[in-house]
Amino acid sequence: QVQLVESGGGLVQAGGSLRLSCAASGRTFGSYAMGWFRQAPGKEREFVAAISRGGGNTYYADSVKGRFTISRDNAKNTVYLQMNNLKPEDTAVYYCAADFMGPGRTDYSPYDYWGQGTQVTVSS
């Protein structure tokens, strides 16, 4: 069992930055590929970014490529999402997710564990 707790969300003006963190419980964090997804009101959950178990491979949605960076620190059981040049359309609840022995995937269905989400609001 893995518990995920996100933090770092908030209200920011367009063009600003936020860094989300996701802390995982347990001693097997390195066995999980990690992903960030988001869901805006009235919309489906969508992929944002993913990172492989060792951190060597990263994947991004086209909408965030060049603005967001995913990283992880396996010694701290934490995955991060650095978000720069935020836009109003980035407003959503952001979730981190863990995929046991996965490669880092863009589809949400293989992910085994999810956090409770953190709200990101970008004002224009």
Side-chain angles (χ1 to χ4, degrees), residues 77-97:
N77 282 14
T78 302
V79 61
Y80 305 96
L81 185 68
Q82 177 66 44
M83 306 186 294
N84 298 329
N85 190 22
L86 282 160
K87 303 176 180 181
E89 52 264 43
D90 294 318
T91 295
V93 177
Y94 283 70
Y95 300 89
C96 71

Side-chain angles (χ1 to χ4, degrees), residues 49-60:
I51 189 167
S52 59
R53 285 169 278 144
N57 294 301
T58 57
Y59 311 88
Y60 296 96

Side-chain angles (χ1 to χ4, degrees), residues 7-81:
S7 61
L11 173 64
V12 64
Q13 289 188 333
S17 298
L18 284 174
R19 188 175 83 152
L20 305 183
S21 299
C22 174
S25 65
R27 295 177 289 180
T28 59
F29 182 68
S31 298
Y32 292 85
M34 299 298 294
W36 286 97
F37 294 78
R38 67 187 182 187
Q39 188 165 19
K43 294 188 177 181
E44 293 187 353
R45 189 169 299 191
E46 66 172 357
F47 169 75
V48 175
I51 189 167
S52 59
R53 285 169 278 144
N57 294 301
T58 57
Y59 311 88
Y60 296 96
D62 288 342
S63 59
V64 307
K65 204 170 292 183
R67 300 188 297 124
F68 290 12
T69 302
I70 188 171
S71 62
R72 67 188 294 161
D73 185 338
N74 285 355
K76 295 183 178 180
N77 282 14
T78 302
V79 61
Y80 305 96
L81 185 68

